[in-house]
Amino acid sequence: GLYTCRANNTLFDPITIDSNAALVDVHYPPNLISGFSDMTKNASDSLQLSCNFTGTPTPTIVWNRYISNEIETLERDNDKFLIQEDVSFDKRTSTSALTVNDLIKDDEGMYECLGINQVDNLIGAVDSSQALITIQVPATIYPSGQRDTLTGVKDYEITISFVIEDAFPEVQSENIDWYFLSDATNIQTPIRS
């Protein structure tokens, strides 16, 4: 705010003198107003995270991703990540939004938005928002032994097995169904497991 000093001298002649105005701008560290929380997304979806900080001078917002104990600072102009920023009219509030398109399993990890300015955080302000982002991926299914054709003998049993891998969450046995697909009619007939 704006401060002035006024002095009165009533001893000789009532005189009032005002000082020049002084502007006091209080600096304070970034403080999180709103952030994000843990979430699960499907592969090929988009992820959108946003955070909002107050602070003076205006906080700069940095996006990080933690994968396998390594920190990756996400760049603004990148094919994978889109970062949009906005600063309020009074320059005391910064907002940033991160979009990650076409999610894959490798995009999974801890994401963080961090508010930074030149003021040391001596007041315990919350200067970041973090969340674990989990990516669900469909299963990869293939015949065990990598054979597409099995040969059997009439009136004898044949064992058919498939490998199911890479699914997150894991495929439970009660969610596995078997079908017979007729070559002639292309009709799927359920088989009991």
Side-chain angles (χ1 to χ4, degrees), residues 77-88:
D77 296 319
N78 182 309
D79 292 337
K80 184 72 177 176
F81 306 105
L82 172 65
I83 299 174
Q84 297 174 309
E85 296 177 344
D86 187 36
V87 175
S88 66

Side-chain angles (χ1 to χ4, degrees), residues 82-136:
L82 172 65
I83 299 174
Q84 297 174 309
E85 296 177 344
D86 187 36
V87 175
S88 66
F89 179 74
D90 66 0
K91 298 192 183 314
R92 293 177 192 253
T93 304
S94 294
T95 302
S96 184
L98 169 69
T99 302
V100 184
N101 292 312
D102 298 320
L103 292 170
I104 59 174
K105 190 67 173 169
D106 289 346
D107 293 324
E108 187 171 85
M110 182 71 69
Y111 284 75
E112 171 188 55
C113 68
L114 176 65
I116 300 171
N117 67 10
Q118 297 88 356
V119 180
D120 288 333
N121 186 357
L122 302 175
I123 61 172
V126 177
D127 64 357
S128 70
S129 180
Q130 291 184 340
L132 177 63
I133 308 304
T134 304
I135 310 300
Q136 296 185 132

